[in-house]
Amino acid sequence: MNSGKMNIFDLEFDELKNEINKLGEPVFRAKQVWQWIYQGADSFDNMTNLSKALRDKLKESFYIGGASIVERLISKKDGTRKYLFALRDGKVVESVLMRYRYGNSVCLSTQIGCRMGCSFCASSKLGMDRNLSVGEMVAQVIAIQNDTGQRVSHIVLMGIGEPFDNYDNVIKFLRRMNQEDTLNISYRRMTVSTCGLVPEIIRFAKEEFPVNLSVSLHAPNDEVRRSIMPIARKYPFDKILTACHIYTQQTGRRITFEYTLINGINDGNEHAKELGERLSGLLCHINLIPVNTVEESGYIKSDNKRVDDFKKIIEGYGLPVTVRRELGSDISAACGQLRKKSVESDRMVD
Ligand code: SAH
């Protein structure tokens, strides 16, 4: 339980400065502490350039992180790692580390559970519990860096939860990760994915940072979309497209559309044509993802030929399309396979 202490990662630098000032210590102490925590120190006792008295005072007010690894699964196929984190209140959340030639990419959760209810996605199955704090997101990235001994170079917010349903924390988190005195991760190496929350897409367009945006479309029209994504009832297809046009005009940046291919549901030639027509002329890229298995849904992946045909039709509209490589499926770490767990934090495995 929380014991009234603050997660030190929930604080901006100025806030930490004030707190340390309240303890009767000068600003440069705050700088030292800040440096330690972003270099991965996981205990105040390791902060050897601080006096024992100050370390004790810090311990009384703060804890570092608030996300500890309780389980780590490593894919035999591709080295992808799935982490189960325990938070201070006993809740757990999953995130994934993917290793690419160009660096280490973390696919991070932004909420405990999800209330969007997409029928193909495991993250919705147990409903929504709460948002993650900025500090809990930061703590996941730093714990993963500590665990691998390697720098995280890319962040994608495609784990559990709808990032735009936790908008303010997500934006603060991205800004924090970009700061030179934290992890210094370039905005261009960050991606936020949304199931299509229109007001937040427009807000995001105005943030004036070059973070990539992905929109999970999964259908070429409202009828198909509503049958698999309840949020489509709130935000119709046309409104999403308008918001996407605003985004590309405002930022000059390409948008990525995620399209999960589900056999017999949204993968017909007629769907591909309609999608091509709707998206043609928009500065975008389409990412096709043959649906990953989620026990409850009963959906089946489109076969390779279907995926190829679907891809070719869209290419015929002059739109760039790729098929997403599947990583970590043997440890249920692939897209849509992360879910809120109800286990408690006593399952330390190596
Ligand atoms: N809520 C956000 C981010 C989380 S999901 C969003 O909806 O975009 C990350 C991506 O995985 C989304 O495009 C999502 O639609 C997709 N996805 C979910 N379940 C999937 C499944 N079973 N197979 C393949 N992709 C899936």
Side-chain angles (χ1 to χ4, degrees):
M1 277 291 122
N2 260 335
S3 67
K5 290 190 193 183
M6 275 183 275
N7 181 356
I8 200 159
F9 288 126
D10 273 328
L11 303 184
E12 299 297 333
F13 179 70
D14 279 348
E15 293 168 335
L16 180 66
K17 213 168 69 184
N18 289 341
E19 292 299 325
I20 289 198
N21 190 264
K22 277 191 231 158
L23 299 176
E25 298 280 343
V27 175
F28 79 92
R29 293 288 177 213
K31 284 201 180 132
Q32 287 174 319
V33 173
W34 190 262
Q35 246 178 7
W36 277 113
I37 59 176
Y38 285 97
Q39 281 167 5
D42 57 4
S43 127
F44 290 109
D45 290 324
N46 296 340
M47 302 184 181
T48 45
N49 55 357
L50 306 184
S51 69
K52 167 95 171 57
L54 174 57
R55 291 186 326 231
D56 287 344
K57 279 195 262 178
L58 289 168
K59 265 190 260 181
E60 279 167 29
S61 307
F62 304 106
Y63 59 89
I64 304 175
S68 45
I69 299 172
V70 286
E71 189 172 300
R72 177 204 304 109
L73 297 173
I74 304 183
S75 165
K76 292 198 173 64
K77 283 188 187 167
D78 52 48
T80 297
R81 292 174 173 218
K82 181 162 84 168
Y83 291 96
L84 188 66
F85 289 100
L87 308 173
R88 291 278 285 195
D89 61 359
K91 312 278 182 199
V92 290
V93 75
E94 291 179 330
S95 288
V96 176
L97 172 79
M98 293 159 294
R99 291 161 183 271
Y100 294 102
R101 261 169 289 119
Y102 56 73
N104 285 341
S105 180
V106 166
C107 175
L108 212 65
S109 295
T110 53
Q111 297 183 309
I112 300 175
C114 184
R115 58 194 183 119
M116 298 299 133
C118 302
S119 61
F120 46 83
C121 180
S123 300
S124 278
K125 300 301 173 204
L126 288 172
M128 158 78 170
D129 193 324
R130 67 170 173 84
N131 282 330
L132 293 191
S133 73
V134 177
E136 287 171 329
M137 291 185 259
V138 172
Q140 293 180 62
V141 180
I142 298 211
I144 291 176
Q145 285 199 155
N146 283 347
D147 187 56
T148 57
Q150 287 173 6
R151 177 168 188 263
V152 166
S153 57
H154 293 68
I155 294 177
V156 297
L157 299 188
M158 294 192 183
I160 299 170
E162 165 52 43
F164 283 174
D165 193 32
N166 185 13
Y167 189 90
D168 292 337
N169 286 348
V170 159
I171 300 298
K172 269 186 161 179
F173 163 71
L174 297 175
R175 293 197 188 284
R176 180 83 61 76
M177 293 292 86
N178 173 254
Q179 280 172 229
E180 263 174 39
D181 59 358
T182 62
L183 299 197
N184 198 12
I185 300 174
S186 152
Y187 284 130
R188 291 176 196 280
R189 295 178 168 190
M190 301 179 186
T191 302
V192 175
S193 182
T194 177
C195 63
L197 306 191
V198 167
E200 283 74 18
I201 293 175
I202 295 169
R203 236 178 119 184
F204 194 71
K206 298 184 179 132
E207 292 290 347
E208 298 197 335
F209 55 24
V211 171
N212 304 302
L213 179 63
S214 279
V215 173
S216 301
L217 212 47
H218 306 319
N221 58 44
D222 279 323
E223 197 195 339
V224 177
R225 206 161 187 268
R226 281 184 196 147
S227 74
I228 51 179
M229 299 177 78
I231 193 69
R233 278 179 235 134
K234 187 162 182 194
Y235 298 115
F237 200 93
D238 281 346
K239 293 244 162 67
I240 295 178
L241 275 195
T242 306
C244 291
H245 277 284
I246 293 174
Y247 173 87
T248 54
Q249 278 155 15
Q250 185 99 24
T251 62
R253 298 175 60 73
R254 191 178 291 276
I255 239 171
T256 297
F257 289 109
E258 308 290 327
Y259 197 106
T260 296
L261 287 165
I262 313 172
N263 178 41
I265 305 273
N266 63 356
D267 67 345
N269 288 349
E270 71 282 11
H271 298 126
K273 283 182 200 146
E274 197 176 354
L275 188 69
E277 277 161 23
R278 303 297 291 272
L279 300 187
S280 100
L282 182 60
L283 185 59
C284 70
H285 169 261
I286 297 148
N287 207 343
L288 300 175
I289 321 160
V291 73
N292 293 311
T293 317
V294 172
E295 259 170 48
E296 302 88 332
S297 76
Y299 291 141
I300 301 168
K301 246 188 228 302
S302 311
D303 61 33
N304 289 347
K305 163 119 181 33
R306 189 87 296 279
V307 175
D308 275 358
D309 288 351
F310 198 93
K311 181 168 180 268
K312 286 202 187 95
I313 292 174
I314 299 174
E315 280 168 345
Y317 288 85
L319 294 161
V321 194
T322 45
V323 179
R324 182 182 285 172
R325 211 175 105 209
E326 178 184 277
L327 291 177
S329 57
D330 57 332
I331 52 170
S332 284
C335 294
Q337 293 184 318
L338 302 186
R339 60 178 73 222
K340 186 173 92 159
K341 295 263 169 59
S342 46
V343 297
E344 294 307 327
S345 52
D346 59 355
R347 295 208 297 158
M348 192 71 183
V349 294
D350 229 314

